[in-house]
């Protein structure tokens, strides 16, 4: 079966069609670089735009020049909706950074044929592995640790093997919020064992602390210990965790800067290495936004760095502490319009401000879902898990989601429907 390709390039002309054909790719349409983006921006501009979108809907791959006019959030969202993979043709470092911000595949002009074929190549078979879910949020306490705990507890309700790890090198707090001891081995010990090659599922089970049905790897008890969480150590520990649990939820710090690589060429410890390593390895990234003007502004400014760090992993945006007192009337619509306009995020979920339930959870050092299962906060997290990160079917080892943007639309499955039924029964 041939690969159907739409070629949108000012660098590669019609003569390149024969080269793609030799590699088993059938080029259905050749257009200028900005034609798909123009059609995605306004589908009612005329017959040409409709034909362009129709060709995209029937294609498997869109090979397009990387550029701000050609590779846009609207185009990425349209391709996500059609199930079309994007291969960005990059002619320099700036083009590659732009493509990485959207999490699409990149290639040089000389490697387009191989990249197009590889984009739809079947994944190698192998045993199913656990999934890594990173929970990130910008500076300012948007509530990422609280939501990481709630997401882990909610996933464990279906009988899945779930673990929660604290990889925050600036302000680790999972142990304090859950009443667990942070003097034990925890995630840092897992990282050291991974470096020595002695980390196994049995060792992870030994050093983890129980929080109901969730196994917890506590974080470092002093921020000054951050050099223990190097990139190589964290990456090795995460790979072993995939063999230990079905879902690993990892709480990470807010900063995404790589300043050390700019000011020094010496290979040394990086303060934000743990966060960047977790985001690079994650299968799903939950981005937490605080529903106030400062929180939204910080998220908008940090989102491009998050998108570049997460690579191809889908980003699910969760707006926390939603209330009208900080944003005025119709706070949800205001946040939704802002995120869609400035960062191209078309789908997001909301968690209401429920200080009573959150305070009760802190007082009892338990997840909100256990202390106040019928609270609005717990119900919102339950809906988010069911719609945005419901456990997927088992997939092959070593594979990652092909591509996603912040505009991913929710697609509830059978598990989501079961969660919805439970929520309705609980509210009855």
């Amino acid at each position: 079966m041939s690969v159907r390709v739409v070629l949108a390039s000012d660098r590669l002309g019609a003569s390149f069609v024969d080269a793609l054909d030799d590699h088993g790719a059938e080029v259905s349409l050749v257009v200028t670089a900005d034609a798909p983006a123009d059609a995605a921006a306004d589908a009612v501009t005329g017959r040409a735009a409709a034909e362009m979108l129709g060709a995209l809907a029937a294609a498997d791959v869109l090979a397009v020049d990387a550029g701000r006019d050609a590779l846009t959030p609207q185009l990425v969202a349209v391709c996500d909706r059609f199930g079309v993979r994007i291969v960005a043709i990059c002619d320099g470092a700036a083009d590659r950074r732009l493509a990485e911000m959207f999490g699409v595949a990149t290639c040089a002009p000389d490697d387009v044929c191989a990249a197009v074929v590889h984009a739809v190549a079947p994944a190698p078979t192998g045993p199913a592995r656990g999934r890594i879910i990173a929970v990130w949020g910008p500076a300012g306490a948007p509530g990422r640790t609280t939501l990481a705990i709630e997401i882990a507890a909610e996933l464990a309700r279906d009988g899945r093997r779930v673990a929660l790890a604290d990889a925050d090198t600036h302000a680790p707090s999972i142990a304090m919020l859950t009443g667990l001891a942070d003097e034990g081995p925890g995630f840092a010990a897992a990282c050291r064992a991974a470096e020595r090659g002695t980390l196994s599922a049995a060792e992870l089970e030994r050093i983890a602390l129980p929080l109901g049905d969730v196994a917890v790897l506590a974080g470092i008890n002093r921020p000054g210990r951050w050099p223990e969480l190097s990139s190589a150590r964290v990456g090795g520990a995460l790979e072993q965790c995939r063999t230990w649990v079905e879902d690993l939820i990892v709480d990470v710090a807010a900063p995404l800067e790589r300043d050390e690589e700019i000011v020094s060429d010496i290979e040394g410890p990086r303060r934000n290495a743990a966060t960047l390593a977790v985001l690079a390895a994650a299968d799903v990234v939950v981005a937490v936004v605080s529903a106030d003007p400062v929180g939204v502004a910080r998220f908008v400014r940090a989102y491009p760095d998050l998108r570049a760090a997460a690579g191809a992993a889908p980003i699910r945006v969760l707006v926390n502490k939603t209330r009208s007192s900080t944003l005025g009337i119709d706070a949800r619509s205001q946040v939704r319009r802002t995120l869609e306009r400035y960062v191209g995020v078309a789908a997001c979920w909301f968690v209401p401000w429920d200080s009573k339930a959150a305070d009760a959870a802190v007082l009892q050092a338990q997840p909100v879902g256990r202390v106040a299962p019928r609270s609005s906060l717990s119900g919102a997290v339950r809906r988010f898990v069911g719609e945005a990160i419901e456990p997927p079917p088992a997939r092959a080892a070593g594979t990652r989601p092909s591509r996603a943007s912040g505009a991913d639309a929710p697609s509830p499955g059978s598990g989501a429907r079961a969660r919805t039924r439970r929520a309705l029964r609980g509210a009855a």
Side-chain angles (χ1 to χ4, degrees):
M1 180 179 177
S2 62
V3 179
R4 295 164 295 183
V5 181
V6 171
L7 178 62
S9 177
D10 298 327
R11 302 166 185 161
L12 306 175
S15 59
F16 195 73
V17 173
D18 294 335
L20 284 170
D21 185 65
D22 293 339
H23 284 75
E26 176 187 345
V27 180
S28 59
L29 186 64
V30 179
V31 294
T32 59
D34 57 355
D38 291 342
D42 190 355
V44 297
T45 53
R47 182 175 179 179
E51 292 177 352
M52 179 75 256
L53 293 178
L56 277 179
D60 299 309
V61 179
L62 168 64
V64 59
D65 289 346
R68 295 191 179 277
D69 294 332
L71 191 59
T72 64
Q74 293 85 357
L75 176 61
V76 174
V78 167
C79 290
D80 281 341
R81 191 161 60 246
F82 291 160
V84 179
R85 291 169 172 81
I86 296 178
V87 173
I89 306 170
C90 303
D91 201 18
D95 289 347
R96 192 170 297 276
R97 285 195 298 270
L98 176 66
E100 289 175 348
M101 184 182 74
F102 290 111
V104 303
T106 61
C107 69
D110 297 337
D111 300 328
V112 175
C113 295
V116 166
V117 174
H118 179 73
V120 294
T125 59
R129 302 192 307 160
R131 183 175 54 166
I132 295 173
I133 301 170
V135 181
W136 173 90
R144 57 182 174 270
T145 301
T146 296
L147 291 178
I149 296 170
E150 296 308 311
I151 291 170
E154 182 60 31
L155 284 169
R157 291 180 68 224
D158 283 344
R160 291 176 62 82
R161 186 75 174 99
V162 178
L164 176 64
D166 193 340
D168 191 331
T169 55
H170 288 261
S173 55
I174 284 181
M176 289 182 284
L177 283 176
T178 55
L180 299 174
D182 58 2
E183 291 84 7
F187 189 61
C191 290
R192 292 193 297 270
E195 185 181 42
R196 296 192 302 267
T198 59
L199 187 63
S200 63
E203 178 66 8
L204 286 165
E205 192 69 31
R206 185 186 70 82
I207 64 178
L209 299 172
L211 179 66
D213 296 330
V214 178
V216 179
L217 294 173
I220 52 179
N221 55 6
R222 295 187 307 277
R225 294 174 55 194
W226 63 264
E228 298 180 32
L229 304 185
S230 67
S231 180
R233 286 178 171 183
V234 171
L238 294 178
E239 283 303 306
Q240 287 300 318
C241 286
R242 290 184 186 273
T243 68
W244 173 44
V245 292
E246 296 174 89
D247 284 315
L248 175 69
I249 292 81
V250 188
D251 181 26
V252 298
L256 300 172
E257 295 82 5
R258 304 172 186 262
D259 293 344
E260 303 96 332
E261 299 176 8
I262 298 174
V263 301
S264 174
D265 59 354
I266 300 174
E267 185 63 29
R270 316 291 194 195
R271 182 64 186 267
N272 303 324
T275 295
L276 297 173
V278 171
L279 292 174
D283 299 287
V284 179
V285 176
V286 177
V288 182
V289 189
S290 180
D292 57 73
V294 175
V296 173
R298 285 175 171 170
F299 177 81
V300 168
R301 290 171 181 169
Y303 184 80
D305 293 333
L306 174 65
R307 181 69 274 176
I315 296 177
R316 310 302 191 197
V317 178
L318 184 57
V319 183
N320 193 25
K321 305 178 183 179
T322 307
R323 70 271 194 203
S324 59
S325 58
T326 58
L327 295 173
I329 299 174
D330 200 3
R332 294 191 178 195
S333 295
Q334 290 192 58
V335 173
R336 188 180 288 110
R337 287 195 299 267
T338 300
L339 296 181
E340 185 171 9
R341 177 180 179 182
Y342 291 104
V343 295
V345 173
C348 55
W349 289 260
F350 295 87
V351 175
W353 175 255
D354 192 345
S355 59
K356 184 177 180 180
D359 289 348
V362 173
L363 179 64
Q364 299 187 35
Q366 291 289 328
V368 176
R370 211 168 288 167
V371 175
R374 295 192 179 187
S375 66
S376 58
L377 190 155
S378 180
V381 172
R382 190 172 301 123
R383 286 191 297 272
F384 169 73
V385 170
E387 295 176 357
I389 56 175
E390 182 69 16
R395 55 185 176 82
T399 62
R400 290 279 303 273
S402 60
R403 170 186 46 79
S405 74
D408 289 335
S411 54
S414 59
R417 289 192 291 270
R419 292 179 188 278
T420 303
R421 289 194 293 270
R422 288 199 303 269
L424 292 175
R425 287 198 299 269

